[in-house]
Amino acid sequence: MITKKELSLCPVETTVSLISNKWKTLILRELLSGTKRFGELRNGISGVSQKVLTQNLRSMEDDGIIGRKVYAEVPPRVEYFLTDLGNTLRPIIDAMAEWGLGYQAMVNNSNETNVASR
Amino acid sequence: MITKKELSLCPVETTVSLISNKWKTLILRELLSGTKRFGELRNGISGVSQKVLTQNLRSMEDDGIIGRKVYAEVPPRVEYFLTDLGNTLRPIIDAMAEWGLGYQAMVNNSNETNVASR
DNA sequence: CAGTATCCAGAGCGATACTG
DNA sequence: CAGTATCGCTCTGGATACTG
């Protein structure tokens, strides 16, 4: 559910309190391309343990950013997806992706003179 | 300076590796409005300790996001500011601020059933 | 398959004291 | 004022084992 304590903070702090975590951002990146199963998320996010992935998924579910659908099957199948609220975070992730591309390009070019383009 | 290991990661991971931290985002928010002294940052960012603030400032300085200018005065004065690179992060912080505003408004509306009569 | 439960090492942080 | 150094403690997070 949605907690109220964030409301006392500034907008940036509100956002930071929900997605500041490294893994949450990467989970968002994964889910922006569509619904994913638990195993797909674990495989898609390099370096995350099952425990930490589960913890973050639960936290994001509690915050209303992602949804979780459990299929009553054997073997079990659980799908995660962005809620409408989660989808509104897309511009932030897009901005981060775009910046990351620019940064990577800059680092590649900065081997000689990184003050050339100003 | 700029490390190269981030280049092996996807763009989002690159960005996350530099500003995923809660405090770094808030430091950016502070510095987006201009140069700040150490004490101003400490006062402006609620809940951060001197040690953690220093650690994050050093890390961001190493990443080339912020600059640090020491005045040879007594008492000492140290100013922090965004580098050109740091300034390019502005769209991300702006996106987070905008999202935070929308989220706060949404939470307020979702609670109106409870606070209908006031 | 997708978890939960438990244990444990280590990072991270606060508090404190000291320095240029 | 703006740090650095050190000491404990907390609490995250990895590894492992077990379950619906």
Side-chain angles (χ1 to χ4, degrees), chain B residues 37-51:
Chain B
R37 296 185 60 172
F38 182 85
E40 291 178 299
L41 291 175
R42 191 183 46 211
N43 293 332
I45 302 174
S46 154
V48 71
S49 70
Q50 183 184 38
K51 178 183 177 180

Side-chain angles (χ1 to χ4, degrees), chain B residues 37-38 69-79:
Chain B
R37 296 185 60 172
F38 182 85
K69 180 170 172 82
V70 181
Y71 293 84
E73 301 175 354
V74 175
R77 181 157 59 109
V78 179
E79 288 182 349

Side-chain angles (χ1 to χ4, degrees), chain B residues 90-101:
Chain B
R90 188 181 296 270
I92 298 180
I93 308 299
D94 284 346
M96 293 177 70
E98 190 179 356
W99 189 88
L101 281 174

